[in-house]
Amino acid sequence: MSTLIQTPPKTREPKTQPKVGIVSLGCPKALVDSERIITRLRAEGYAIAPDYEGADLVLVNTCGFLDSARDESLEAIGEAIEANGKVIVTGCLGAEPEVIQKAHPKVLAVTGPHQYEQVMDAVHTHLTPPANAYTDLVPETGLKLTPRHYSYLKISEGCNNRCSFCIIPKLRGDLVSRPIHHVLTEAEQLVKAGVNELLVISQDTSAYGLDVKYAPQTWKGEAYETRFLDLARGLGSLGAWVRMHYVYPYPHVDKVIPLMAEGAILPYLDIPFQHASANVLKAMKRPAKQDRVLERIQQWRRDVPGMTIRSTFIVGFPGETEEDFEILLDFIREAKIDRAGCFKYENVEHAESRLLEGHLPEEVKEERWHRFMALQAEISAERAAAQIGTVQDVIIDGPGEEPGEILARSKADAPEIDGVVYLSGATDVSAGDIVSVRVTDADEYDLYAEPA
């Protein structure tokens, strides 16, 4: 079931103020798109409705990466139409308007991903903007859908890779990098507004700047090239936690490791390896030099002993043999992947992989998924147990469900996708505080701690 996003205003709104409800589905990149849209809406005087009944119009930001995500998006659109009647659709699935209009002919308009102007045009067409803009209701950093103490920072759109299982380039186009001085300025504004953790996202973070030939820019009187290393250097100067997501393992990623060793950015890399078998990686159209990858990971861990590596993998890809799968299991054992997400291959519409031979039965995918997750749980539990007795910094997220319990995250934990630190005995702490704790216990994915 879809849930409308609520962003209560700081001041009372006029009764005549038009209200837009928004449902945001999919990944953090889509969430950033939603934040930009509601910022524009509020800047023009629209209110954000907390429920379908209170909305004059509902905007659904869709996901279309997997067939299951497409189904969820279509279901959310149908729910919004039934509950409200006036619905505009945007996002990744909006790149296929015929699919949406066939399933839901009552939608008012359909726009593609990151088409902010088209979204606003559609809203203006179907819901007249108020006479005066309430610009005083919009903070300099825009409106956010995340807690105040952390924020996603999107550095580019699109992707130049052509992985056979992925339709992102079809949905979002080729790589388009934001100018580095714009990104760093936004990050600085976020930190000044109270953000203590910046989560860098894109489709391919380490390709940042390739499309503009790493164009040089000036920020705060200093030269920065539009590239991954300079981005990390600039963000690392702001004094907040900086967490890198969706980092494709290009060789130049090695140059960022010293910044982690220095503490400028978090010792955390989210690298979507997808598989480890050369045969499967070739069919996926991904790099296939896993021996070299293992060497690099081992060197990274020598340079930064506390480094966390998160990754995602696909099992049951067309043509994957039992030997290929065992190679994958051996890889996660040797690499000691700290955090891993695993997906059963989906035969996504429009993906090149649909045409490959050797599609596997669902029961084979299911069995391999369970074996992967069981092994990963063992590795994660071993890595977590090694933390017992250590003293480390955590960022406070807020109160837990139990009396006196506080939820926090270590440097190894991204919000929503990784583990949690359950902190007991802490007093006088607030969301966003970074405090020192001693780890007292651990399970497969989470840590338990007390103030150091």
Side-chain angles (χ1 to χ4, degrees):
M1 181 176 179
S2 305
T3 304
L4 277 134
I5 291 169
Q6 301 185 39
T7 57
K10 295 180 179 179
T11 60
R12 183 172 296 176
E13 299 157 352
K15 292 182 179 180
T16 57
Q17 190 173 13
K19 295 183 178 181
V20 178
I22 183 164
V23 176
S24 187
L25 305 173
C27 64
K29 294 177 285 294
L31 188 73
V32 172
D33 289 341
S34 295
E35 290 176 340
R36 292 177 180 174
I37 290 168
I38 65 169
T39 296
R40 287 285 302 274
L41 289 169
R42 292 296 273 133
E44 293 190 9
Y46 292 96
I48 306 302
D51 52 51
Y52 290 119
E53 291 74 19
D56 299 304
L57 179 151
V58 175
L59 179 65
V60 182
N61 189 1
T62 60
C63 179
F65 180 49
L66 298 173
D67 286 348
S68 54
R70 294 157 64 91
D71 293 342
E72 180 186 10
S73 294
L74 291 172
E75 181 181 350
I77 295 167
E79 180 183 297
I81 290 174
E82 181 178 356
N84 183 275
K86 298 182 69 175
V87 177
I88 291 172
V89 178
T90 188
C92 285
L93 191 57
E96 301 179 65
E98 68 282 355
V99 172
I100 296 168
Q101 290 162 344
K102 180 179 179 180
H104 300 293
K106 293 182 180 180
V107 296
L108 301 176
V110 179
T111 74
H114 54 83
Q115 293 183 343
Y116 312 118
E117 294 301 327
Q118 290 90 329
V119 171
M120 295 305 299
D121 287 344
V123 173
H124 294 158
T125 299
H126 298 283
L127 186 60
T128 303
N132 298 309
Y134 290 74
T135 55
D136 59 311
L137 297 182
V138 182
E140 187 179 9
T141 56
L143 297 177
K144 294 295 175 185
L145 302 175
T146 50
R148 183 174 180 267
H149 61 284
Y150 70 81
S151 180
Y152 294 103
L153 182 67
K154 183 155 60 168
I155 63 172
S156 65
E157 300 285 359
C159 184
N160 286 346
N161 297 311
R162 294 297 184 265
C163 302
S164 63
F165 57 85
C166 181
I167 60 172
I168 289 296
K170 291 184 175 68
L171 298 175
R172 289 184 170 261
D174 289 336
L175 176 69
V176 179
S177 300
R178 294 178 59 198
I180 190 166
H181 56 310
H182 291 181
V183 175
L184 294 177
T185 297
E186 179 186 351
E188 184 180 36
Q189 291 172 345
L190 289 168
V191 172
K192 288 180 177 178
V195 168
N196 286 338
E197 181 179 13
L198 297 166
L199 301 107
V200 178
I201 58 170
S202 68
Q203 299 300 145
D204 183 356
T205 296
S206 42
Y208 176 63
L210 178 65
D211 56 310
V212 294
K213 299 180 180 179
Y214 311 111
Q217 303 287 350
T218 300
W219 180 65
K220 299 178 73 172
E222 187 175 347
Y224 286 83
E225 290 188 339
T226 307
R227 63 169 69 242
F228 183 49
L229 176 60
D230 281 23
L231 174 72
R233 181 167 60 89
L235 294 176
S237 71
L238 297 175
W241 281 14
V242 178
R243 194 180 298 276
M244 296 293 186
H245 287 278
Y246 314 120
V247 178
Y248 206 83
Y250 303 122
H252 69 255
V253 171
D254 296 354
K255 297 180 180 179
V256 174
I257 304 304
L259 293 176
M260 296 182 179
E262 297 166 8
I265 64 175
L266 292 183
Y268 179 103
L269 279 177
D270 177 0
I271 302 179
F273 290 118
Q274 307 299 8
H275 214 279
S277 164
N279 293 331
V280 176
L281 289 167
K282 183 177 180 181
M284 289 180 169
K285 296 187 176 179
R286 305 271 300 179
K289 298 178 180 178
Q290 291 306 99
D291 290 342
R292 174 63 179 137
V293 169
L294 273 173
E295 291 175 10
R296 292 171 67 200
I297 290 174
Q298 290 163 359
Q299 185 60 54
W300 294 344
R301 293 196 190 280
R302 285 192 291 269
D303 294 339
V304 187
M307 172 173 284
T308 298
I309 296 177
R310 144 165 282 283
S311 190
T312 51
F313 298 90
I314 298 173
V315 297
F317 194 80
E320 181 191 63
T321 64
E322 179 64 23
E323 181 182 2
D324 292 325
F325 181 65
E326 289 292 343
I327 290 172
L328 172 58
L329 296 184
D330 288 342
F331 173 76
I332 65 170
R333 284 191 194 98
E334 292 185 55
K336 293 181 170 58
I337 301 298
D338 300 86
R339 308 278 193 252
C342 183
F343 299 89
K344 292 170 282 187
Y345 171 76
E346 287 191 25
N347 205 24
V348 177
E349 190 172 352
H350 305 308
E352 290 182 24
S353 55
R354 290 173 66 93
L355 305 178
L356 294 174
E357 296 180 356
H359 285 261
L360 302 179
E362 289 301 318
E363 57 267 25
V364 173
K365 299 179 191 177
E366 183 77 11
E367 188 266 344
R368 290 179 181 173
W369 182 85
H370 281 288
R371 284 164 61 193
F372 180 101
M373 294 306 297
L375 176 58
Q376 181 58 44
E378 292 178 15
I379 297 169
S380 295
E382 179 184 339
R383 303 284 288 176
Q387 306 298 313
I388 296 175
T390 62
V391 174
Q392 50 187 282
D393 289 342
V394 299
I395 189 167
I396 304 297
D397 279 336
E401 295 182 358
E402 301 297 326
E405 181 182 70
I406 300 294
L407 300 182
R409 287 178 292 107
S410 72
K411 294 178 179 179
D413 302 311
E416 305 294 337
I417 58 173
D418 290 330
V420 171
V421 178
Y422 293 95
L423 180 60
S424 60
T427 58
D428 195 27
V429 294
S430 302
D433 288 350
I434 296 175
V435 300
S436 183
V437 303
R438 177 176 287 102
V439 179
T440 58
D441 201 359
D443 56 27
E444 290 178 346
Y445 299 106
D446 303 321
L447 300 178
Y448 300 82
E450 59 187 15

